[in-house]
Amino acid sequence: MKGRRAELTALCLAVVVAAVGALGGCAAVTADTATGRSSVAVPSGTTPESAPATVDTAVPTDPAVPMDQRTLDDRLARASAAARDRGSEISIALLDRRTGQYAGSADTTPVTTASVAKLFIADALLYRESSTKTPLSQDDRDLIEHMLESSDDDAANELWNEHGASDLVADVIGRYRLTATSEPYDGNWWNTETTAADLVGYYSGLLDGRGGLERGGRQDMLGYLEAAKATAADGYDQRFGIPDGLPGESTVAVKQGWMCCIANQWLHLSTGLVGAGNRYVLVVASREDVDYPDGWPTVTVEVDDDRSDEPRDEPAGADEPTVASTPTEVTSPVPTATPTTTARPHHYVQVRQYPDTTVTTASDDASAAHARETMTDVVRILFPEGRID
């Protein structure tokens, strides 16, 4: 995901499956600080408005058996341990729309959205079209399609810059009452901040119309998510997490996100709707240490001998789109020409090169592949049969 950077110290991976509440209501999430687990109170007595058959937002009403809670708790623990072993910390939560069953951990931890913010851009523009009766141009509609299906950054940038930038996020925050979501601190859409629980609230509101988006706009949104491409516009593999982890599901509609590096770590998100009737809402987010088991890529840089500001093991700042690098081994001084009055003594060092997505797509990066595998492995541990139910 090119062109994205954020400064974030919190580290989380959240898997959230959330219920859709009544029109105008929402599920209330509460956290147990002792266990890190969450519970959700789901409004009862109503069913969301149904949509055309191509995008089914109605909750299935046939009888369902809740998952065994002890088994689920064991899988949550094993998934967390497996992720830690791979250099990633995770938070996981699960809610079945049909039964109201929920289990979770750290789903209120802040996380940067990366490309998941493209949901907010599309929602705000489609809502503006219906509420003001001002049709979007065909060009804008094509950009929304590319932005959601192929995670096209250029399409997102054009829509963002042309139609209000951070005001788009503010609009969605207000309409969906996303209390833990905030506009990007630097005006860049990818640095919007949210939580897994708020993303659950967003998806729930999208399904039942609570955010004010008319049925046609909701159908467009969900249709694009269901048609998400295996490979993003920049060549990045976006099948990680939900798509590869749940091959047995009949319906999967997702929006993925990724960027590097935040405190020398990869950020990945896999979010969306799973199962017949969109029974589940699933959100997965992770922060994983950048690592290259087969050896770090390096670059040779020249360093003045009398300077104290040699490259350090720190990421570039949010306003410095440079590759973060770490000195590893200083080689022997390289002979140079006879110094003149302006020459300065210098030597060369090999520095680690990070997959900074402000300057590279990282589509073939080994550390990115490792982080994607972690995401998919977590989903597979939670749902080893390749489907949730």
Side-chain angles (χ1 to χ4, degrees):
M1 178 175 177
K2 189 176 181 181
R4 280 156 270 182
R5 177 182 301 283
E7 294 298 326
L8 181 66
T9 58
L11 181 63
C12 76
L13 170 120
V15 180
V16 180
V17 182
V20 173
L23 185 63
C26 63
V29 182
T30 59
D32 182 339
T33 56
T35 64
R37 293 175 182 161
S38 303
S39 61
V40 173
V42 184
S44 60
T46 57
T47 300
E49 175 186 358
S50 61
T54 54
V55 182
D56 183 8
T57 62
V59 181
T61 56
D62 55 300
V65 178
M67 289 176 282
D68 180 76
Q69 190 63 46
R70 187 169 298 179
T71 299
L72 180 57
D73 288 343
D74 176 68
R75 291 178 183 176
L76 290 170
R78 289 193 290 111
S80 297
R84 284 195 300 271
D85 288 344
R86 293 175 63 87
S88 179
E89 294 186 16
I90 64 172
S91 303
I92 303 173
L94 174 66
L95 177 63
D96 181 345
R97 290 177 58 205
R98 191 184 301 176
T99 67
Q101 184 180 11
Y102 185 92
S105 175
D107 47 321
T108 58
T109 300
V111 61
T112 304
T113 59
S115 273
V116 174
K118 292 169 183 173
L119 291 169
F120 299 162
I121 298 173
D123 189 298
L125 293 178
L126 292 170
Y127 175 76
R128 184 182 297 174
E129 177 183 48
S130 63
S131 62
T132 65
K133 307 303 180 185
T134 304
L136 289 169
S137 69
Q138 187 57 50
D139 285 346
D140 283 344
R141 286 193 164 274
D142 290 343
L143 289 172
I144 290 173
E145 177 182 352
H146 296 317
M147 177 179 68
L148 294 183
E149 291 186 4
S150 301
S151 203
D152 191 322
D153 289 348
D154 291 337
N157 289 336
E158 186 169 343
L159 292 169
W160 180 262
N161 294 328
E162 180 69 21
H163 294 289
S166 294
D167 288 344
L168 300 173
V169 174
D171 170 67
V172 172
I173 290 172
R175 286 189 288 111
Y176 287 86
R177 300 181 182 179
L178 304 179
T179 59
T181 300
S182 58
E183 301 167 38
Y185 70 92
D186 59 357
N188 292 314
W189 50 262
W190 54 87
N191 283 332
T192 299
E193 189 170 278
T194 189
T195 65
D198 254 20
L199 287 176
V200 166
Y202 169 74
Y203 274 111
S204 297
L206 176 64
L207 285 170
D208 66 20
R210 188 172 61 244
L213 189 60
E214 293 183 351
R215 185 185 301 180
R218 291 171 8 229
Q219 181 178 353
D220 288 343
M221 291 273 294
L222 299 179
Y224 295 144
L225 300 184
E226 191 169 339
K229 309 299 184 184
T231 304
D234 62 3
Y236 199 83
D237 181 355
Q238 59 171 0
R239 296 170 299 178
F240 60 87
I242 296 172
D244 275 352
L246 298 174
E249 286 290 354
S250 59
T251 302
V252 173
V254 296
K255 183 67 202 82
Q256 310 284 74
W258 60 92
M259 68 181 182
C260 191
C261 301
I262 302 172
N264 294 354
Q265 294 173 319
W266 269 104
L267 170 70
H268 282 85
L269 298 95
S270 182
T271 78
L273 310 171
V274 179
N278 299 311
R279 176 174 174 175
Y280 304 99
V281 179
L282 182 62
V283 175
V284 183
S286 72
R287 289 280 306 279
E288 179 167 312
D289 296 339
V290 175
D291 191 25
Y292 296 91
D294 296 329
W296 276 78
T298 61
V299 61
T300 302
V301 299
E302 181 179 337
V303 179
D304 290 339
D305 289 340
D306 59 351
R307 289 183 60 186
S308 61
D309 57 342
E310 293 185 4
R312 294 168 294 177
D313 189 9
E314 298 177 356
D319 297 323
E320 303 172 80
T322 59
V323 177
S325 54
T326 305
T328 54
E329 179 181 357
V330 178
T331 63
S332 300
V334 177
T336 60
T338 302
T340 65
T341 55
T342 59
R344 301 175 66 176
H346 62 276
H347 64 282
Y348 296 87
V349 296
Q350 296 291 320
V351 299
R352 290 179 175 179
Q353 190 169 19
Y354 281 76
D356 186 344
T357 50
T358 63
V359 295
T360 178
T361 64
S363 58
D364 297 322
D365 183 79
S367 69
H370 189 275
R372 293 195 301 268
E373 290 170 2
T374 300
M375 294 278 287
T376 302
D377 286 348
V378 165
V379 176
R380 288 172 174 165
I381 291 171
L382 290 173
F383 312 111
E385 294 181 355
R387 57 186 298 117
I388 297 179
D389 58 352

